[in-house]
Amino acid sequence: MDEHLAFMELAEEQARIGRQEGGIPIGAALVVDGEVLGVGRNRRVQLGSAIRHGETDCLENVGRLPAATYHRATLYTTLSPCQMCAGTVLLYGIPRIVIGENRTFEASEQWLRANGVDVVVLDRPECVDLMTEFIAAEPALWNEDIGVEDPS
């Protein structure tokens, strides 16, 4: 798990930046052959976007890559990915995803595994704390982000 620590810390830093900007604290990093190609954070609020989750923002920030590069990549994300982000992993053939935590949200790990993706869950308390505090403070925004109707 130590091999993943530095890359996950980059994703966590992005999550904290996103929260400071008024957004949702989810960050990501794309790594190929030990090199960080880019990072991103959930910027749905900041950009008024429907799809800029941490993972998709990271991939957008990296830009276009050849399929062979994606096929050697590892995507680090502070939170277990939603179906949209998992679908992006499958579309581009990213073989491994390393997840900071899946206690506060999990929707796609079984699907990823069933499609041959190596799913590693680190269960980092730092990631759990980020999301637990955010969900308690802004439940309506969280529900919007995951496509759940706000009960209030």
Side-chain angles (χ1 to χ4, degrees), residues 122-145:
L122 301 180
D123 196 31
R124 286 184 48 82
E126 298 87 340
C127 296
V128 174
D129 292 347
L130 276 168
M131 287 309 298
T132 301
E133 291 166 11
F134 169 74
I135 292 168
E138 302 208 42
L141 184 55
W142 173 239
N143 286 335
E144 175 191 325
D145 194 63

Side-chain angles (χ1 to χ4, degrees), residues 15-99:
R16 287 188 295 275
I17 292 168
R19 186 66 184 124
Q20 291 167 357
E21 295 171 339
I24 297 158
I26 302 168
L30 188 70
V31 176
V32 176
D33 301 331
E35 178 186 349
V36 177
L37 298 188
V39 296
R41 60 189 171 274
N42 186 308
R43 295 197 303 159
R44 289 184 66 251
V45 172
Q46 298 92 313
L47 298 177
S49 170
I51 62 169
R52 287 302 269 273
H53 282 189
E55 301 89 340
T56 55
D57 186 63
C58 176
L59 293 174
E60 182 68 16
N61 291 338
V62 169
R64 294 172 53 199
L65 296 172
T69 302
Y70 287 118
H71 296 169
R72 297 189 327 271
T74 298
L75 182 63
Y76 289 81
T77 179
T78 57
L79 183 66
S80 188
C82 71
Q83 296 94 332
M84 175 180 68
C85 295
T88 303
V89 167
L90 294 176
L91 175 68
Y92 290 112
I94 297 171
R96 175 186 277 182
I97 187 165
V98 178
I99 297 166

